[in-house]
Amino acid sequence: MHFIQPDKHTRRAFLRRAGQLAFTGAALPTALNLAAMGEAAAFNATDYKALVCVFLNGGNDYANTVINYDNASYDQYSAIRGGGAGRTAGGIALAQAALTPTRLVPTVALPNGREYALHPSMTGLANLFNNGQAAVQLNVGPLVVPLTRQQYNSNNAAYPKPPKLFSHNDQQSVWQSSQPEGATTGWGGHIGDLALSSNTNRVLTCVSVTGNTVFLSGDQALSYQVSTGGAVKINAINNNVYNSANVRAAITQLALQTRTHVLENEYNLVTARAVGAESAITAALTTWPATHAAFSSFPTGNNLADQLKMVARLIAARDDLGNRRQVFFVSMGGFDLHDNLINGQATLMTRLSTALTAFYEATAALGIADKVTTFTASDFGRTLTSNGDGSDHGWGSHHFMVGGAVQGKAFYGKAPPVSVGNSTTDVNDQWHVGQGRLLPSTSVDQYAGTMATWFGVQGAEMNGILPNLVNFNSSDYPTNLGFMA
């Protein structure tokens, strides 16, 4: 098994090595040349595809998002969460009857009569699932290698754990980059590295509508940041300074002119790219204003919806901007609900569901629903047990995939037993590490790799994007989870 990130097998690495061999007069074997040519062609895209990561900052409570609905597992859920023996609300358990409108009905029923429903506030997302445009990945989280509970408890170096479990900042980083806080590149950015050559406007390969993020940082691809209102302008260049057009012109000249000093010149080149990107985005978005009919489903007063509306507008303008492959990042916070879980999550789930539903409807209106895949991620799941008024930091969680290319109306992965994980001998406690914290049965690398494959990543290129994926290649831990068409 591989615990250290291998050298990246990207086109760039191949070309560099091929150039080095050519310089020394060495001849590459024909098979290696052909294999590398195949890899190099992976992102010479002629169509359009986009991945959109929706990150839920704070660690979303999985048990009140995708909720056990069949009588047997609901009773276990309710008893653990303080709902008592009945099927009414109590503690941090939701009433079973409230879940009926959001009951999920998969094409293929889960084993042992297991059923799930979504939070009562998520009617829009439940409808997407039941209509085949969304799916649920069960119990996914960071893993270095497959782990059983016994291996987790053994502290054996042969079974490494993800670094710094249960820490907000570190687990956000591990989800996005396979490394704890301090990482400089993420798997979205590495996908962007491979996609750069497909885009005329390479600056817009990786776009964040929520500030800086390691997820979108690659070796070459950069996280280009926009606001919900559009591209961010450089004030001194775009506006008169001291009410003087002459001062503005002087500053513009200083900021953009060619310099003899290499670092000064590079700084001005970066500034010029920023100015050019802002100008291109602003012009392209005039064709796709926020008031366009394609975006009419987006709710107001919902910041996540505002972010996703901007993503939809940029995707609509893809031809004008010269983009064929893009990775986007949006986020919402407030999920660290150690208390006030019932009321706090109801608000959050409403915003998440309405925003995701409106975004899907926008892509459908644009005729590209099958070209855009949206997925959720979060620091971690939370404890199944209640701390009185909320839940505490966990590990594995349930997540959503939405889009026309998603093999929807289905659950992927293993439905975990409803348990607190206090017993080391009870088979029902195998997928818990105490207090109902889920031990992931699916890794983030498998989850990400499935979408990366759909996006166009091929063969050995995957090693440079998801360093731990090589450890997941069995029937129980498949490299491709199968939820993408």
Side-chain angles (χ1 to χ4, degrees), residues 121-427:
S121 298
M122 305 183 81
T123 53
L125 193 53
N127 288 336
L128 287 180
F129 180 99
N130 289 329
N131 290 329
Q133 291 102 28
V136 173
Q137 180 63 54
L138 296 168
N139 193 13
V140 56
L143 288 171
V144 180
V145 298
L147 284 178
T148 65
R149 180 174 175 177
Q150 183 179 14
Q151 292 164 347
Y152 168 83
N153 288 330
S154 71
N155 292 319
N156 188 325
Y159 304 107
K161 305 171 188 176
K164 300 184 178 180
L165 284 170
F166 317 128
S167 159
H168 282 295
N169 292 347
D170 292 295
Q171 291 311 298
Q172 288 173 8
S173 182
V174 169
W175 252 96
Q176 297 176 33
S177 71
S178 303
Q179 301 173 62
E181 187 178 19
T184 57
T185 58
W187 57 269
H190 288 312
I191 291 176
D193 286 336
L194 296 173
L196 286 174
S197 62
S198 293
N199 295 329
T200 303
N201 195 333
R202 297 186 177 194
V203 173
L204 301 182
T205 300
C206 296
V207 180
S208 171
V209 198
T210 187
N212 193 33
T213 169
V214 69
F215 175 73
L216 292 181
S217 297
D219 290 329
Q220 291 187 341
L222 302 175
S223 174
Y224 184 82
Q225 298 176 40
V226 300
S227 73
T228 56
V232 179
K233 297 181 178 182
I234 301 175
N235 287 333
I237 293 177
N238 288 279
N239 301 305
N240 288 341
V241 181
Y242 302 119
N243 294 317
S244 171
N246 290 333
V247 174
R248 173 191 173 191
I251 291 177
T252 301
Q253 181 180 8
L254 288 171
L256 302 180
Q257 68 184 359
T258 302
R259 301 295 188 94
T260 57
H261 191 285
V262 63
L263 294 180
E264 290 179 349
N265 194 59
E266 185 61 27
Y267 187 88
N268 280 15
L269 287 174
V270 171
T271 304
R273 284 196 295 270
V275 172
E278 182 276 322
S279 177
I281 291 172
T282 300
L285 291 181
T286 59
T287 307
W288 298 98
T291 55
H292 193 283
F295 315 126
S296 60
S297 295
F298 283 98
T300 59
N302 181 332
N303 183 256
L304 179 63
D306 293 341
Q307 293 175 54
L308 286 171
K309 180 186 279 191
M310 177 49 61
V311 173
R313 293 175 65 195
L314 290 170
I315 289 174
R318 65 196 179 279
D319 291 336
D320 290 337
L321 293 171
N323 297 121
R324 291 175 177 168
R325 287 290 189 275
Q326 290 182 286
V327 186
F328 294 93
F329 189 85
V330 299
S331 71
M332 63 183 296
F335 288 91
D336 194 22
L337 294 171
H338 292 278
D339 51 26
N340 197 35
L341 174 65
I342 292 295
N343 292 331
Q345 200 182 32
T347 299
L348 294 170
M349 293 295 101
T350 298
R351 292 173 180 168
L352 177 62
S353 179
T354 55
L356 289 176
T357 303
F359 182 67
Y360 174 80
E361 290 174 354
T363 63
L366 294 169
I368 52 168
D370 62 332
K371 303 298 183 183
V372 181
T373 299
T374 308
F375 64 96
T376 61
S378 188
D379 319 14
F380 35 63
R382 303 187 77 84
T383 57
L384 183 58
T385 58
S386 170
N387 63 16
D389 193 30
S391 56
D392 296 322
H393 299 180
W395 189 356
S397 191
H398 307 320
H399 283 289
F400 302 106
M401 304 81 73
V402 180
V406 172
Q407 302 276 54
K409 203 172 184 181
F411 296 98
Y412 295 86
K414 300 174 183 176
V418 186
S419 168
V420 296
N422 288 338
S423 171
T424 57
T425 58
D426 186 345
V427 67

